C-alpha cells in the first residue's frame, strides 16, 4: 500500500502480535509507544488476548473508537497463534470498522538493523529442524520471499556478511524479537498489506483417513 498521510500517522493504532508463544500488544501514535504489553503466554493465547487488549488500551487512556486502525503481525510463525490474533483483529474490523493492516514480522525484526551498509538475514524457528528465513538488503527491502529450510541451507543461502537476527540457536544473533516501533515504522513507510492475511509459509500437512 502507499504511505499513510501525516494526518493518519498521528492517530493511535493497536499492534497485535501473536505470531509465536509471546503475546505482544502496543498502542502507538505519531511514532510514540503510549502503552505496551509483552509476555510468554504459550497455550493461553486465546484466553489472554482480549483482556490484555483492553488493558493496553486503558493504559494508553484510549477508547476503541479513537483508534485509527489495527497493525497485525501476519507472520510467519505459529499457525494456531496467528489464527487467534487474526480472528480478534477481524472481529474489531467488523464491530468497529477499524482497518486491519498486515505486516511482515520478519521484515519488522530486520528493520531496526538496516541502514548499516550490510544485509540482514532473519532466522526464526519453524517446525522440527526447519527454520523460516528471509534476507533484506541494507535499505530493508527483501531479496526474495520468506521460505522454510534447514539451518545449514539458510546459512549457505544468506548474503555474505549478513547480520543475523531471530531466535535460532547456534548462530550469533543480534536481536531476537521485533519491537512495536519497528512494526509502526514499516506501516509508516508503506509496507503494510491491506487487507491483512496470515502468512502461512509452510504448507499444511494432513493425513487422509479412509472411510470406515
Amino acid at each position: 500500500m502507499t504511505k499513510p498521510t501525516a494526518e493518519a500517522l498521528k492517530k493511535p493504532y493497536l499492534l497485535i502480535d501473536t505470531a509465536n508463544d509471546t503475546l505482544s500488544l502496543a498502542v502507538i501514535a505519531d511514532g510514540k509507544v503510549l502503552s505496551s504489553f509483552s509476555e510468554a503466554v504459550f497455550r493461553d493465547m486465546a484466553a489472554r488476548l482480549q483482556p490484555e487488549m483492553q488493558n493496553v488500551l486503558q493504559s494508553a487512556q484510549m477508547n476503541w473508537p479513537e483508534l485509527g486502525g489495527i497493525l497485525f503481525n501476519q507472520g510467519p510463525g505459529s499457525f494456531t497463534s496467528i489464527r487467534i490474533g487474526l480472528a480478534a483483529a477481524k472481529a474489531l474490523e467488523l464491530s468497529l470498522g477499524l482497518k486491519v493492516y498486515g505486516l511482515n514480522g520478519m521484515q519488522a525484526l530486520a528493520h531496526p538493523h538496516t541502514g548499516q551498509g550490510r544485509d540482514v538475514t532473519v532466522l526464526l524457528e519453524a517446525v522440527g529442524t526447519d527454520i523460516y528465513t528471509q534476507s533484506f538488503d541494507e535499505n530493508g527491502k527483501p531479496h526474495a520471499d520468506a521460505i522454510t529450510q534447514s539451518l545449514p541451507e539458510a546459512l549457505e543461502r544468506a548474503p555474505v556478511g549478513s547480520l543475523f537476527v531471530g531466535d535460532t540457536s547456534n548462530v550469533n544473533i543480534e536481536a531476537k524479537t521485533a519491537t512495536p516501533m519497528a512494526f509502526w515504522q514499516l506501516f509508516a513507510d508503506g509496507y503494510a498489506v491491506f487487507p491483512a492475511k496470515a502468512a502461512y509459509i509452510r504448507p499444511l500437512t494432513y493425513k487422509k483417513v479412509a472411510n470406515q
Side-chain angles (χ1 to χ4, degrees), residues 185-201:
Q185 192 61 59
L186 287 181
F187 173 64
D189 289 344
Y191 285 106
V193 174
F194 180 80
K197 58 182 180 180
Y200 301 134
I201 296 177

Side-chain angles (χ1 to χ4, degrees), residues 166-185:
D167 61 4
T168 304
S169 58
N170 300 321
V171 178
N172 186 16
I173 295 293
E174 184 72 17
K176 293 187 177 183
T177 58
T179 64
M181 275 305 303
F183 283 104
W184 186 89
Q185 192 61 59

